């Protein structure tokens, strides 16, 4: 899971703090952090923050230059009620991971390796020494069940181009899930067409609420796999399945570049295409019903071709 946050910190001139100022504060934690101790051993608790790149990196996305760095963090906290437990793994909790920090030169944002919510916000507040409300705020996409149906219908109808200018298209619906059904359907552009129709039709009829979809997106010569959830509009970028320019780089170089492209370009482009179709009236409340009925007709059509009725003379 990954989530996106924006930093609202301001300096003494009431201007938003630059990324370098924010990074300096994060890395100079010895100047502001009160050392916490393990109540059992009386030793300082682990607290480690490092940046991967000595010098900030640059990347161009959608014609805009972004500056970024990659932060690794690891720190221990005492588990409530376990203060006197002699077993350290039961007494202490280690929180660790990596964060992409980036800016377009105006605002600084974070891509956190946690789902959007309390855990991600707590990590950002810990490393920033910030306990004030609204200093760091989540930036979310509005992912709905209707959006999922729209994606599936675009794929099934063969209208897979999302953004022609950026050569963005749906390659495959890898899977989707819904409450009320234990099935996971898979749609492949090169698979058995009848089975794809039957699996998607039965799924749409049986499920009560669609909760998750995993989609493979082509962007030029690159391939991204993204899992989207309707619950809390959560996102997961499957960085290990990326195919393209960065795939042979070490993970510390590859991962932030994949995440930046996904959050700045791929996901907003998909959401924009959906919203435009809703605003233009091309995707309405009746669209799901019409799509499902269209699947029924397609199934009947294909089955008639496979098993044509025979007229037998009496």
């Amino acid at each position: 899971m990954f989530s996106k946050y924006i930093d609202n910190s301001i300096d003494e001139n009431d201007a938003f703090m630059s990324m370098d100022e924010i990074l300096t504060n994060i890395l100079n934690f010895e100047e502001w952090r009160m050392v916490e101790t393990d109540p059992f051993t009386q030793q300082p608790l682990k607290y480690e923050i490092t940046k991967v790149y000595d010098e900030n990196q640059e990347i161009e996305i959608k014609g805009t230059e972004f500056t970024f760095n990659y932060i690794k963090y690891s720190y221990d906290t005492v588990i409530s009620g376990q203060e006197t437990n002699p077993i350290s793994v039961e007494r202490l909790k280690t929180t660790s991971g990596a964060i992409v920090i980036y800016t377009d030169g105006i605002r600084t944002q974070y891509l956190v390796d946690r789902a959007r919510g309390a855990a991600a916000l707590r990590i950002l507040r810990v490393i920033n020494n910030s306990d004030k409300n609204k200093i760091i705020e989540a930036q979310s996409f509005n992912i709905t069940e209707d959006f999922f149906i729209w994606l599936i219908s675009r794929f099934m109808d063969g209208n897979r181009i999302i953004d022609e200018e950026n050569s963005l298209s749906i390659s495959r619906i890898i899977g989707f899930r819904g409450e009320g059904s234990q099935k996971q359907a898979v749609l492949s552009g090169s698979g058995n067409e009848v089975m794809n129709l039957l699996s998607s039709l039965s799924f749409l009829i049986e499920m009560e609420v669609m909760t998750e979809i995993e989609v493979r997106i082509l962007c030029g010569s690159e391939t991204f796999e993204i899992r989207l959830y309707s619950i809390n509009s959560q996102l997961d970028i499957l960085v290990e399945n990326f195919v393209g320019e960065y795939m042979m780089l070490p993970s510390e170089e590859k991962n932030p570049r994949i995440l930046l492209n996904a959050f700045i370009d791929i996901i907003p482009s998909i959401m924009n295409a959906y919203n435009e179709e809703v605003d233009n009236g091309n995707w309405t409340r009746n669209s799901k019903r019409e799509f499902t009925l269209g699947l029924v007709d397609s199934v009947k059509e294909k089955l008639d071709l496979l098993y044509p009725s025979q007229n037998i003379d009496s």
Side-chain angles (χ1 to χ4, degrees):
M1 289 283 202
F2 294 92
S3 53
K4 179 180 178 182
Y5 286 79
I6 190 167
D7 197 304
N8 295 319
S9 303
I10 56 175
D11 58 23
E12 65 253 7
N13 299 316
D14 289 333
F16 288 113
M17 291 179 65
S18 69
M19 190 184 91
D20 282 334
E21 290 173 315
I22 293 169
L23 263 176
T24 298
N25 176 62
I26 290 172
L27 297 171
N28 291 347
F29 58 86
E30 292 180 351
E31 297 180 3
W32 50 258
R33 181 176 177 269
M34 293 183 61
V35 177
E36 299 179 49
T37 58
D38 183 335
F40 189 82
T41 65
Q42 302 305 312
Q43 295 299 309
L45 290 176
K46 179 177 70 173
Y47 186 91
E48 299 171 352
I49 303 286
T50 59
K51 64 176 182 178
V52 171
Y53 309 119
D54 291 334
E55 299 292 332
N56 293 334
Q57 303 292 295
E58 304 289 334
I59 189 170
E60 182 177 329
I61 302 174
K62 299 182 74 172
T64 299
E65 287 286 340
F66 292 89
T67 302
F68 71 95
N69 215 307
Y70 203 32
I71 302 169
K72 287 191 170 183
Y73 62 89
S74 182
Y75 58 86
D76 286 345
T77 51
V78 180
I79 299 172
S80 179
Q82 299 296 313
E83 291 83 356
T84 59
N85 190 327
I87 302 175
S88 62
V89 295
E90 297 179 1
R91 185 177 66 254
L92 302 177
K93 175 187 176 183
T94 299
T95 301
S96 61
I99 297 169
V100 181
I101 181 171
Y102 71 101
T103 182
D104 61 352
I106 301 173
R107 299 297 301 276
T108 299
Q109 302 196 70
Y110 308 91
L111 301 178
V112 187
D113 60 346
R114 293 291 192 280
R116 180 169 55 89
L121 186 58
R122 188 181 305 115
I123 291 167
L124 289 173
R125 285 178 170 174
V126 166
I127 69 171
N128 277 283
N129 189 32
S130 172
D131 56 5
K132 295 180 181 179
N133 193 28
K134 303 297 184 182
I135 292 296
I136 299 172
E137 290 187 285
Q139 300 290 293
S140 63
F141 300 97
N142 185 25
I143 301 170
T144 64
E145 178 190 5
D146 187 65
F147 167 72
F148 293 163
I149 303 296
W150 171 79
L151 263 182
I152 294 171
S153 71
R154 288 287 293 257
F155 180 86
M156 295 294 292
D157 292 342
N159 186 18
R160 300 175 190 176
I161 303 297
I162 298 295
D163 187 334
E164 190 169 357
E165 184 177 345
N166 292 323
S167 301
L168 197 71
S169 63
I170 307 168
S171 169
R172 182 179 180 187
I173 303 293
I174 297 172
F176 47 89
R177 294 181 184 272
E179 294 179 1
S181 172
Q182 297 302 313
K183 296 181 180 179
Q184 179 176 11
V186 178
L187 305 183
S188 170
S190 58
N192 186 304
E193 187 177 0
V194 175
M195 291 308 298
N196 282 341
L197 288 168
L198 287 170
S199 64
S200 51
L201 176 60
S202 63
F203 185 91
L204 290 170
I205 290 173
E206 290 180 19
M207 76 173 183
E208 295 173 4
V209 178
M210 184 173 284
T211 58
E212 174 187 339
I213 193 167
E214 187 175 329
V215 61
R216 182 175 295 156
I217 298 293
L218 297 181
C219 183
S221 60
E222 297 182 326
T223 302
F224 294 79
E225 289 189 7
I226 302 171
R227 191 176 292 136
L228 305 102
Y229 303 83
S230 59
I231 299 174
N232 297 325
S233 295
Q234 301 288 14
L235 288 163
D236 197 7
I237 314 301
L238 306 179
V239 292
E240 66 277 8
N241 295 343
F242 172 82
V243 177
E245 178 184 355
Y246 313 124
M247 63 185 297
M248 302 305 294
L249 295 175
S251 60
E252 291 180 346
E253 296 181 40
K254 175 179 68 175
N255 292 0
R257 289 169 170 82
I258 294 171
L259 293 173
L260 285 165
N261 275 279
F263 274 90
I264 296 172
D265 185 8
I266 307 299
I267 299 168
S269 293
I270 298 171
M271 299 305 301
N272 184 60
Y274 165 72
N275 290 326
E276 281 188 352
E277 293 226 321
V278 171
D279 293 342
N280 294 336
N282 295 328
W283 182 257
T284 64
R285 290 183 179 181
N286 292 326
S287 296
K288 176 183 175 181
R289 178 178 179 275
E290 292 171 358
F291 170 58
T292 305
L293 291 176
L295 285 178
V296 173
D297 291 339
S298 295
V299 169
K300 288 168 62 178
E301 205 174 287
K302 299 298 180 184
L303 290 176
D304 285 342
L305 289 173
L306 286 172
Y307 306 106
S309 59
Q310 296 181 8
N311 295 320
I312 302 174
D313 294 334
S314 55

